[in-house]
Amino acid sequence: MLKNLMFLVVFLVPTALDAQEKPNSVEQFVEDIDKKIPQILEDFSIPGAALAIIENGKIVLQKGYGFADIEKGVKVDLQTGFNVGSISKPVAAWGVMKLVHEGKIDLDSPVEKYLTRWHLPASEFDSDEVTIRRLLSHTAGLSLPSVSAGLSYDNLPTIEAWLSGKNDGLGPVEIIREPGTQWEYSGGGFGLLQLIIEEVSGQKFEDFMQSHIIDPLGMTNSSFKIDEEILAQSATPYDRFGKPTDFELFTVQAAAGFQTTLEDFIRFAFASLPQHKDHQKYNSVLPVETVRQMMEPAPNSTIGGWKYGLGYQSVHMNDSRVFIGHSGSNIGWEASFRIDAATQTGFIILTNGGAGGNLCNPMFCALMNWTSTESSVNDCWPMPSIANKLYQIIDEKGMEDIATAYATLKQEQADDYDFSESQLNELGYHYLAKKEYENAVTIFKLNIDAFPYAYNAYDSYAEALLANGDREEAVENYKHSIQLNPENDNGIKVLKRLGESTADIHFKVPIDHLKLLAGEYISTSGTDKKILYAVKNGELLRTYKDRDNTIKLVPISNNEFVYLGRGLYVVFDTRDPNAIILKAPNEGEFKKVN
């Protein structure tokens, strides 16, 4: 199962690799980043990037790295064009708020008030509760997180046809949960906002945005309209492994179709900072009070440390820092901008590579580290991907000896690459997307051999087998995936579609035996580490004394368990019921003490 996070927000915290000395000055921070970026581009086959670092409302670095077009030798500069994916949303939100400011749209009126060309389909929910404010903040309860089906269109459907479900299998936009009750990311909701802008303004969305927002903001090389002029200055998009890919176009431009340059987007970033000393210079479009309103979290828009305003995300740290901005991802593009609202310190980064997240996400982590008051921080930068290394080997030598190559690398260079489950999964899906099914099957088989308790690895392997025509083995692996994770909805849906039953595939442990396993375990290696297990509702749970959360364990035999959704395996030695031993390969050996 490919976990497509192109449109989702992941709360990033500095995750430990090695403790690093924290750069104290802006000069040191900029120097460190400037040195790091070329290496990340090389490690992850990201052709190019454009970066701006902002401190106290001033640009301290703006620079292009790598190539806009590798074949032509064109380097990235400040005028290179990039698609920014979902960063299109805060830009589109300015168009909505312009009409709000002019009194043509009311934030809390039902969207149906403004619609004539298309209407929300009937559902169990009240469509009058779908308001403009809720569309902007993703709390309207609408479907379709992504607006991309992964295809380039020769003839794009109309916005009405797209909303109705003529969108390469994504489905129609509809109300799937009660509006206003919780955050539910919806690119489809921004498709509806795009239609409303057209209905209210009487102009095409791209034309309204150009004349009322983009041009007045001084963004002279930016547009939602992808014409020959925009294409001429655009970088070439490249896939996850650095190969050229199609330039994707979108019906729902408001959600994913904005094209801009670093030079232009700096202007938008400053226009998004009401407290900037030159705010009025950069923003002649909206009153400062309106821009402030767009940054304020909307009701019920919280997910983890993230909140959502009117088109903008904000990250709220425990030490009161708040970073406003957005991230964006489309096929061949990754981008991010994050700025501390109080200190006006942050960054903008645009890339033309499908692996650009390996630069954008660590950059945010590095920014959070640098602006933190803590004296010691951890390294944010990822290890080189084993998937990239294997891809290069396959490109040169073919697939025949790839299992041997992988085993050799893992044995001899375990500390040089990221060997995590997701790496092979991404490589397998690269081949699956290209319909190179045998290659995909080979890579996914490597993954289940390397991670024999990871349900997602089996789900992905089954998907490739099914695509390759091996239905029987695909069913077997889908069932094994569900055995490892009974909550694997994707596998359950596929098996149901295939007419296969999922009943009686889960191993049941007698309740008395579960109670025998429950209790407190202490490390046998002399550390003070403890593990606690409890039985609740017939299930074994890992519990914690210092926090409320628990982790469910899924049985694969009476004494063997997998942590739900995590692929971590543990086994209990119960030959002596009075001296039970727990072996957890990721944590060590423990003995039960009570």
mmCIF file of all heavy atoms in Angstrom, residues 129-153:
data_model
loop_
_atom_site.group_PDB
_atom_site.id
_atom_site.type_symbol
_atom_site.label_atom_id
_atom_site.label_comp_id
_atom_site.label_asym_id
_atom_site.label_seq_id
_atom_site.Cartn_x
_atom_site.Cartn_y
_atom_site.Cartn_z
ATOM 1 N N GLU A 129 -24.350 23.711 6.080
ATOM 2 C CA GLU A 129 -23.263 23.847 7.040
ATOM 3 C C GLU A 129 -21.891 23.902 6.363
ATOM 4 O O GLU A 129 -20.877 24.109 7.020
ATOM 5 C CB GLU A 129 -23.307 22.698 8.043
ATOM 6 C CG GLU A 129 -24.541 22.699 8.927
ATOM 7 C CD GLU A 129 -24.618 23.958 9.782
ATOM 8 O OE1 GLU A 129 -23.605 24.322 10.417
ATOM 9 O OE2 GLU A 129 -25.689 24.607 9.785
ATOM 10 N N VAL A 130 -21.867 23.693 5.042
ATOM 11 C CA VAL A 130 -20.625 23.831 4.272
ATOM 12 C C VAL A 130 -20.474 25.301 3.907
ATOM 13 O O VAL A 130 -21.170 25.808 3.039
ATOM 14 C CB VAL A 130 -20.634 22.956 3.010
ATOM 15 C CG1 VAL A 130 -19.347 23.157 2.208
ATOM 16 C CG2 VAL A 130 -20.815 21.491 3.372
ATOM 17 N N THR A 131 -19.574 25.979 4.609
ATOM 18 C CA THR A 131 -19.403 27.424 4.418
ATOM 19 C C THR A 131 -18.047 27.731 3.787
ATOM 20 O O THR A 131 -17.166 26.862 3.710
ATOM 21 C CB THR A 131 -19.495 28.152 5.767
ATOM 22 O OG1 THR A 131 -18.392 27.721 6.598
ATOM 23 C CG2 THR A 131 -20.816 27.863 6.476
ATOM 24 N N ILE A 132 -17.869 28.974 3.390
ATOM 25 C CA ILE A 132 -16.599 29.410 2.808
ATOM 26 C C ILE A 132 -15.473 29.255 3.824
ATOM 27 O O ILE A 132 -14.387 28.760 3.500
ATOM 28 C CB ILE A 132 -16.696 30.880 2.349
ATOM 29 C CG1 ILE A 132 -17.864 31.083 1.372
ATOM 30 C CG2 ILE A 132 -15.370 31.327 1.720
ATOM 31 C CD1 ILE A 132 -17.733 30.348 0.079
ATOM 32 N N ARG A 133 -15.712 29.689 5.046
ATOM 33 C CA ARG A 133 -14.686 29.578 6.087
ATOM 34 C C ARG A 133 -14.249 28.124 6.269
ATOM 35 O O ARG A 133 -13.055 27.832 6.416
ATOM 36 C CB ARG A 133 -15.238 30.122 7.412
ATOM 37 C CG ARG A 133 -14.178 30.194 8.528
ATOM 38 C CD ARG A 133 -14.809 30.549 9.876
ATOM 39 N NE ARG A 133 -15.541 31.790 9.834
ATOM 40 C CZ ARG A 133 -15.008 33.001 10.007
ATOM 41 N NH1 ARG A 133 -13.708 33.107 10.205
ATOM 42 N NH2 ARG A 133 -15.776 34.075 9.972
ATOM 43 N N ARG A 134 -15.194 27.235 6.275
ATOM 44 C CA ARG A 134 -14.865 25.822 6.490
ATOM 45 C C ARG A 134 -14.148 25.213 5.291
ATOM 46 O O ARG A 134 -13.288 24.339 5.452
ATOM 47 C CB ARG A 134 -16.135 25.047 6.836
ATOM 48 C CG ARG A 134 -16.633 25.369 8.240
ATOM 49 C CD ARG A 134 -17.999 24.808 8.539
ATOM 50 N NE ARG A 134 -18.367 25.072 9.932
ATOM 51 C CZ ARG A 134 -19.578 24.907 10.439
ATOM 52 N NH1 ARG A 134 -20.576 24.485 9.640
ATOM 53 N NH2 ARG A 134 -19.815 25.175 11.702
ATOM 54 N N LEU A 135 -14.471 25.660 4.090
ATOM 55 C CA LEU A 135 -13.713 25.203 2.926
ATOM 56 C C LEU A 135 -12.263 25.654 3.028
ATOM 57 O O LEU A 135 -11.333 24.878 2.772
ATOM 58 C CB LEU A 135 -14.332 25.735 1.636
ATOM 59 C CG LEU A 135 -15.665 25.147 1.188
ATOM 60 C CD1 LEU A 135 -16.137 25.830 -0.091
ATOM 61 C CD2 LEU A 135 -15.574 23.645 0.974
ATOM 62 N N LEU A 136 -12.044 26.906 3.397
ATOM 63 C CA LEU A 136 -10.690 27.452 3.494
ATOM 64 C C LEU A 136 -9.868 26.754 4.568
ATOM 65 O O LEU A 136 -8.644 26.626 4.438
ATOM 66 C CB LEU A 136 -10.741 28.950 3.782
ATOM 67 C CG LEU A 136 -11.163 29.864 2.625
ATOM 68 C CD1 LEU A 136 -11.445 31.263 3.136
ATOM 69 C CD2 LEU A 136 -10.071 29.904 1.553
ATOM 70 N N SER A 137 -10.525 26.303 5.628
ATOM 71 C CA SER A 137 -9.810 25.705 6.760
ATOM 72 C C SER A 137 -9.893 24.179 6.779
ATOM 73 O O SER A 137 -9.463 23.556 7.740
ATOM 74 C CB SER A 137 -10.363 26.262 8.080
ATOM 75 O OG SER A 137 -11.747 25.963 8.215
ATOM 76 N N HIS A 138 -10.427 23.577 5.734
ATOM 77 C CA HIS A 138 -10.547 22.118 5.622
ATOM 78 C C HIS A 138 -11.375 21.530 6.768
ATOM 79 O O HIS A 138 -11.063 20.458 7.281
ATOM 80 C CB HIS A 138 -9.166 21.457 5.584
ATOM 81 C CG HIS A 138 -8.317 21.874 4.425
ATOM 82 N ND1 HIS A 138 -8.489 21.375 3.160
ATOM 83 C CD2 HIS A 138 -7.306 22.771 4.345
ATOM 84 C CE1 HIS A 138 -7.597 21.930 2.347
ATOM 85 N NE2 HIS A 138 -6.882 22.788 3.044
ATOM 86 N N THR A 139 -12.399 22.232 7.165
ATOM 87 C CA THR A 139 -13.298 21.711 8.204
ATOM 88 C C THR A 139 -14.723 21.557 7.666
ATOM 89 O O THR A 139 -15.672 21.449 8.444
ATOM 90 C CB THR A 139 -13.305 22.636 9.438
ATOM 91 O OG1 THR A 139 -13.707 23.954 9.046
ATOM 92 C CG2 THR A 139 -11.933 22.688 10.093
ATOM 93 N N ALA A 140 -14.875 21.549 6.347
ATOM 94 C CA ALA A 140 -16.208 21.453 5.745
ATOM 95 C C ALA A 140 -16.687 20.017 5.617
ATOM 96 O O ALA A 140 -17.831 19.771 5.221
ATOM 97 C CB ALA A 140 -16.219 22.122 4.369
ATOM 98 N N GLY A 141 -15.814 19.045 5.907
ATOM 99 C CA GLY A 141 -16.213 17.642 5.840
ATOM 100 C C GLY A 141 -16.269 17.078 4.436
ATOM 101 O O GLY A 141 -16.969 16.084 4.200
ATOM 102 N N LEU A 142 -15.530 17.680 3.486
ATOM 103 C CA LEU A 142 -15.588 17.224 2.097
ATOM 104 C C LEU A 142 -14.518 16.175 1.793
ATOM 105 O O LEU A 142 -13.510 16.059 2.480
ATOM 106 C CB LEU A 142 -15.427 18.410 1.147
ATOM 107 C CG LEU A 142 -16.503 19.493 1.195
ATOM 108 C CD1 LEU A 142 -16.350 20.440 0.017
ATOM 109 C CD2 LEU A 142 -17.900 18.902 1.218
ATOM 110 N N SER A 143 -14.751 15.445 0.719
ATOM 111 C CA SER A 143 -13.861 14.363 0.287
ATOM 112 C C SER A 143 -12.717 14.891 -0.566
ATOM 113 O O SER A 143 -12.594 16.085 -0.812
ATOM 114 C CB SER A 143 -14.671 13.343 -0.521
ATOM 115 O OG SER A 143 -15.224 13.964 -1.663
ATOM 116 N N LEU A 144 -11.902 13.970 -1.038
ATOM 117 C CA LEU A 144 -10.802 14.158 -1.977
ATOM 118 C C LEU A 144 -9.652 14.988 -1.417
ATOM 119 O O LEU A 144 -9.533 16.180 -1.693
ATOM 120 C CB LEU A 144 -11.291 14.774 -3.297
ATOM 121 C CG LEU A 144 -12.328 13.990 -4.080
ATOM 122 C CD1 LEU A 144 -12.429 14.511 -5.500
ATOM 123 C CD2 LEU A 144 -12.025 12.513 -4.082
ATOM 124 N N PRO A 145 -8.777 14.369 -0.648
ATOM 125 C CA PRO A 145 -7.577 15.080 -0.200
ATOM 126 C C PRO A 145 -6.729 15.570 -1.361
ATOM 127 O O PRO A 145 -6.299 16.725 -1.399
ATOM 128 C CB PRO A 145 -6.833 14.016 0.613
ATOM 129 C CG PRO A 145 -7.865 13.022 0.996
ATOM 130 C CD PRO A 145 -8.856 12.999 -0.125
ATOM 131 N N SER A 146 -6.489 14.698 -2.327
ATOM 132 C CA SER A 146 -5.638 15.033 -3.464
ATOM 133 C C SER A 146 -6.477 15.406 -4.680
ATOM 134 O O SER A 146 -7.595 14.912 -4.850
ATOM 135 C CB SER A 146 -4.742 13.849 -3.820
ATOM 136 O OG SER A 146 -3.995 14.113 -4.989
ATOM 137 N N VAL A 147 -5.912 16.247 -5.531
ATOM 138 C CA VAL A 147 -6.581 16.576 -6.793
ATOM 139 C C VAL A 147 -5.794 16.017 -7.973
ATOM 140 O O VAL A 147 -6.101 16.310 -9.118
ATOM 141 C CB VAL A 147 -6.759 18.101 -6.969
ATOM 142 C CG1 VAL A 147 -7.591 18.662 -5.833
ATOM 143 C CG2 VAL A 147 -5.418 18.830 -7.054
ATOM 144 N N SER A 148 -4.791 15.203 -7.680
ATOM 145 C CA SER A 148 -3.950 14.645 -8.731
ATOM 146 C C SER A 148 -4.167 13.153 -8.844
ATOM 147 O O SER A 148 -4.096 12.429 -7.854
ATOM 148 C CB SER A 148 -2.471 14.915 -8.432
ATOM 149 O OG SER A 148 -1.644 14.177 -9.300
ATOM 150 N N ALA A 149 -4.432 12.696 -10.051
ATOM 151 C CA ALA A 149 -4.523 11.260 -10.309
ATOM 152 C C ALA A 149 -3.211 10.730 -10.872
ATOM 153 O O ALA A 149 -3.113 9.583 -11.273
ATOM 154 C CB ALA A 149 -5.658 10.978 -11.283
ATOM 155 N N GLY A 150 -2.202 11.582 -10.897
ATOM 156 C CA GLY A 150 -0.898 11.159 -11.370
ATOM 157 C C GLY A 150 -0.774 11.112 -12.876
ATOM 158 O O GLY A 150 0.054 10.398 -13.415
ATOM 159 N N LEU A 151 -1.590 11.878 -13.575
ATOM 160 C CA LEU A 151 -1.577 11.853 -15.031
ATOM 161 C C LEU A 151 -1.433 13.254 -15.598
ATOM 162 O O LEU A 151 -1.805 14.237 -14.967
ATOM 163 C CB LEU A 151 -2.875 11.239 -15.569
ATOM 164 C CG LEU A 151 -3.180 9.797 -15.164
ATOM 165 C CD1 LEU A 151 -4.571 9.424 -15.646
ATOM 166 C CD2 LEU A 151 -2.149 8.855 -15.758
ATOM 167 N N SER A 152 -0.865 13.333 -16.804
ATOM 168 C CA SER A 152 -0.890 14.585 -17.542
ATOM 169 C C SER A 152 -2.118 14.572 -18.444
ATOM 170 O O SER A 152 -2.395 13.587 -19.115
ATOM 171 C CB SER A 152 0.369 14.738 -18.399
ATOM 172 O OG SER A 152 1.508 14.881 -17.589
ATOM 173 N N TYR A 153 -2.844 15.659 -18.430
ATOM 174 C CA TYR A 153 -4.064 15.731 -19.223
ATOM 175 C C TYR A 153 -3.779 16.391 -20.573
ATOM 176 O O TYR A 153 -3.112 17.409 -20.649
ATOM 177 C CB TYR A 153 -5.118 16.579 -18.506
ATOM 178 C CG TYR A 153 -5.713 15.961 -17.277
ATOM 179 C CD1 TYR A 153 -5.202 16.259 -16.021
ATOM 180 C CD2 TYR A 153 -6.787 15.094 -17.364
ATOM 181 C CE1 TYR A 153 -5.742 15.706 -14.878
ATOM 182 C CE2 TYR A 153 -7.345 14.533 -16.221
ATOM 183 C CZ TYR A 153 -6.812 14.846 -14.984
ATOM 184 O OH TYR A 153 -7.350 14.301 -13.870
#
